[in-house]
Amino acid sequence: MKSISTLFQFKTLNTKITIIFLMLILVIQATGYFTTRYNIEKNARLAATEQLSVGEHIFNNLLAQNSKNLTQAAKILATDYGFREAVSSKDTETIVSALENYRGRIGATIALFHDASGQYVTGTANEDRQDADKSIALLIKNAEGQGSAAGIVVMDNVPYQLVILPVKAPLLVGWVTMGFAVDDELANSVHSLSALDVTFLIKTADGKLIPVATTLDKSDATHLSQISQDALNNGLTSTEIKLSKTLYSTRYVKLSEQGIGNENIVIALQRSLNEALAPYKTLQFNLLFIAILGSLIFIAVGIYIAQRITKPLDAFAKIAEKYGHGDYSTPAKIKGKDELARLGIALNNMRDAIASREKKITKLAYQDELTGLPNRAALTEIAAKHTKHMSSEMRGITVILLDVDRFKEINTVLGKIDADEVLKIVAERIKAACYKSTDVVARYSGDKFAILLPKVTADIALSTAERILKSLELPAIVHEHSVDLAARMGVATYPNHANTIEALFGSAELAMYEAKRLQTSAVIYSNKLDVSKEQSLSFSTEIKEALEQNQFKFYVQPKLNLRTNKIVAVEALIRWLNPQQELLSPDKFIPQAEKAGHIAKISLWMLINAAIHYAKWQSYGINISIAVNLSARDLMDVDLPDKIAKILSDRQIPPKAIALEITESSIMEDPEQARITVARLSNMGLKISIDDFGTGYSSFAYLKNLQVDELKIDKSFIINMTLDSEDIKIVRSTIDLAHNMGLSVVAEGIETEAALDLLKELNCDFGQGYLIGRPMPVEKFNDWLIDWEAKDA
């Protein structure tokens, strides 16, 4: 057998100190916890004993009150002239009527009449009095000497509290007896006054106790009578009894000891110790929690002290090992001026020298000499690192591959030197548009650039692509030459569109060439692009038919007031259920509708349906406005305000019923015309909201000249806000500036409780996203709203 010293041999001093600290705190905490628990249980039992004493006092008072009521009623009856006449004339029917009348007045259970000799004459009870006649005779005898008598008498296995008074006319002509049954009603009265459980037990002829009235379940009462018989036989007046997993503190009260004389009746008063201890359960849990927390704190303190005591050589060795693997991010921590400090200084000097040399080598291998951007090799390595450390919660890695339009022509006309200057300008503008610290801009090859966006989906990457396009709208000035800039972009995401980094760049390149072929700004990769002969489908005729055949579906997404947690508005959305029964989202057909010139008709369809559904909701008592998105072409329509005014008039709904959402990009296409149209709509009383704010290039300086009421922060800033401090800064500053301008703020893309709570902290006014409610057919909104309000109630 191993000795104790052998068992407590540890490999490291850290472990030894930690174990000693842990054992010490466990002993202290366990001692404190169990001592406190013992005292809590002891105090709970003392409190239960006091409650039983109070309950006994209440029971005695209740019996006394009953006795008083019975005595008053019996006195009145005994002195009633009509009753005495009936007694004298032996009119049994009248006697019974009088007894029943006075019994009913005080709610007594029985009323009896005995003649002057004590013989039973008549009464209101049908119980078997055979066993009670002797006890009643004894009470009558006591009443002869005292003028009245009271006691407990058992009739037909039911105890009764009786009061007996004489009837004189003027000589004694009989005895009136009034009584209450000692039953469940009395037990419940004691229970309601004392919060104790009460059981009345009587001893049968064979000496067994049986329950005759109780506040317990019948099975528990039967079990109690069996246990109580043994306890009383052993001379116990109080004990603890377990009934149906509940522990009771029990006190026995014999009625003979209360001066009302029947040794066959025992009252068991009980207080549940489970209930008495219940208020202390939280305290015990808190004590246990404190004990565990204290143990954890002591463990942490032990580990800290152990680390402070042990020599720091191990830390230096680990740092040197990191340096050997090329990781120079962690310098050696230096404290004091001893030999160990000098060793740390030497390690840091070595780290700086090696890192500086490797940085120069890396720059030559991974940096584009012309633009100063990472080159394709560097981008590939960065992307590989992201994929290696990508967790399941991340949204993937998106690459935007950009090709500068007409660069060969620019190179031919301006020459290589000036063309290189154009590439530098393009590089700077792309970098300015990609403002996140995690965004990586690289020169892919020749006139191609790549943008790596970690934790971003392809759809969200389109907003970055849009910013890049906006940044290229201004011509590049090179040696007095004005060069118009344009680009085509392809977007692909790992692992959705490729399972390797090289395949990811290949997919993005395919998408980029598709954008060039379609003469569109950006294309997201799809499997169809791998087919050698891409198919080009025109939606113009189908969209026209969809409008004529009512194939479009009106959807809504709720908007939440973040202060009141009430749904105050919805955004109107459109879906297309085409003849193939495919439900298409707007991004699948709205761009084609804009190209085909159908967007104005679709906008008008949305506005009319919004008015129809608002009017219908009004009839249900639902006051929720509906926001409708407008396109750039809608803002260019000088008749748009008149069209909307007619829709409001036809449906007899107020301007506040409809809100209009316009994007930054739609405003910037023709700022002056947009300003005029927005002013007219605002003067009509319509609420104007800037949608997807932050993805375009409008500024607060320009917005202050527009009559707008609200900003909607684009979901690209909200989705990763809890993980990206830069997004938080952008959202906070946008909210503050908007509020200073008197604008309300809506956050789009709320998908997590953490994002919702953070937005509330930032004083955002309204929220919208999948966490609150997904887009739904308008027909389902009423039921959804009822469920939401019920959940919020």
Side-chain angles (χ1 to χ4, degrees), residues 677-724:
T677 303
V678 168
R680 290 181 63 193
L681 294 170
S682 180
N683 291 335
M684 289 169 56
L686 293 162
K687 184 177 182 180
I688 308 297
S689 178
I690 301 298
D691 197 13
D692 299 335
F693 185 79
T695 61
Y697 284 88
S698 61
S699 65
F700 279 100
Y702 179 76
L703 288 178
K704 71 179 183 181
N705 297 319
L706 288 174
Q707 292 178 233
V708 299
D709 307 286
E710 186 178 78
L711 295 184
K712 296 188 73 174
I713 302 176
D714 185 68
K715 65 181 179 182
S716 61
F717 301 103
I718 304 300
I719 287 178
N720 294 320
M721 182 174 61
T722 55
L723 304 175
D724 193 328

Side-chain angles (χ1 to χ4, degrees), residues 97 160 272 289 328 594 700:
S97 176
Y160 289 87
S272 169
F289 174 78
Y328 308 109
E594 288 179 328
F700 279 100

Side-chain angles (χ1 to χ4, degrees), residues 91-93 95-96 99 111-114 119-125:
D91 184 353
T92 303
E93 184 176 345
I95 293 173
V96 172
L99 291 173
L112 307 175
F113 179 73
H114 293 75
Q119 293 296 316
Y120 173 76
V121 176
T122 186
T124 63

Side-chain angles (χ1 to χ4, degrees), residues 30 33 58 135 137-138 210 247 324 347 368 370 426 517 528 675-676 687 754:
Y33 172 77
I58 290 171
S135 298
L138 181 60
I210 61 170
L247 186 63
L347 275 173
D368 177 61
L370 175 65
V426 171
R517 187 183 71 81
K528 295 178 181 179
R675 185 188 65 78
I676 294 171
K687 184 177 182 180

Side-chain angles (χ1 to χ4, degrees), residues 557-764:
Q557 185 176 25
K559 183 165 72 174
L560 178 70
N561 186 314
L562 299 186
R563 293 187 176 89
T564 65
N565 209 41
K566 301 294 183 184
I567 301 300
V568 294
V570 296
E571 180 181 359
L573 303 168
I574 190 170
R575 298 291 186 268
W576 180 12
L577 186 63
N578 65 16
Q580 292 76 36
Q581 294 300 302
E582 297 172 321
L583 190 66
L584 303 180
S585 57
D587 58 337
K588 297 294 191 301
F589 60 91
I590 291 297
Q592 288 78 5
E594 288 179 328
K595 290 180 182 178
H598 296 307
I599 193 64
K601 296 177 183 178
I602 291 177
S603 296
L604 191 61
W605 182 88
M606 291 290 288
L607 287 165
I608 292 172
N609 274 275
I612 291 171
H613 289 294
Y614 180 87
K616 185 181 295 184
W617 290 349
Q618 282 284 291
S619 67
Y620 299 154
I622 299 174
N623 293 306
I624 291 180
S625 62
I626 303 176
V628 178
N629 290 277
L630 297 181
S631 69
R633 186 166 296 185
D634 292 324
L635 293 179
M636 300 305 107
D637 183 2
V638 295
D639 295 326
L640 178 66
D642 295 331
K643 293 176 182 177
I644 294 178
K646 186 177 185 305
I647 291 172
L648 297 175
S649 175
D650 289 346
R651 296 292 167 182
Q652 296 184 347
I653 60 175
K656 68 177 183 178
I658 305 295
L660 301 175
E661 295 188 3
I662 53 180
T663 63
E664 293 179 79
S665 57
S666 63
I667 296 172
M668 301 309 292
E669 285 198 11
D670 189 340
E672 184 58 22
Q673 180 59 47
R675 185 188 65 78
I676 294 171
T677 303
V678 168
R680 290 181 63 193
L681 294 170
S682 180
N683 291 335
M684 289 169 56
L686 293 162
K687 184 177 182 180
I688 308 297
S689 178
I690 301 298
D691 197 13
D692 299 335
F693 185 79
T695 61
Y697 284 88
S698 61
S699 65
F700 279 100
Y702 179 76
L703 288 178
K704 71 179 183 181
N705 297 319
L706 288 174
Q707 292 178 233
V708 299
D709 307 286
E710 186 178 78
L711 295 184
K712 296 188 73 174
I713 302 176
D714 185 68
K715 65 181 179 182
S716 61
F717 301 103
I718 304 300
I719 287 178
N720 294 320
M721 182 174 61
T722 55
L723 304 175
D724 193 328
S725 60
E726 291 186 13
D727 278 348
I728 296 177
K729 293 176 183 177
I730 293 169
V731 172
R732 178 185 285 113
S733 61
T734 301
I735 292 172
D736 292 343
L737 287 170
H739 285 169
N740 289 335
M741 293 176 65
L743 305 178
S744 58
V745 181
V746 181
E748 296 184 292
I750 301 175
E751 295 185 3
T752 64
E753 290 285 355
L756 180 63
D757 293 340
L758 184 54
L759 287 165
K760 289 180 179 178
E761 291 179 9
L762 296 177
N763 291 323
C764 186

Side-chain angles (χ1 to χ4, degrees), residues 451-505:
I451 302 95
L452 183 71
L453 305 173
K455 298 188 289 186
V456 171
T457 63
D459 290 334
I460 296 174
L462 288 178
S463 61
T464 302
E466 186 176 348
R467 291 198 300 273
I468 294 171
L469 286 173
K470 286 290 182 183
S471 72
L472 299 178
E473 286 182 349
L474 291 175
I477 308 300
V478 180
H479 296 154
E480 299 182 357
H481 294 291
S482 178
V483 182
D484 289 332
L485 301 176
R488 308 295 175 187
M489 286 174 276
V491 182
T493 300
Y494 174 93
N496 295 353
H497 301 146
N499 54 15
T500 66
I501 296 303
E502 287 302 324
L504 176 64
F505 291 138

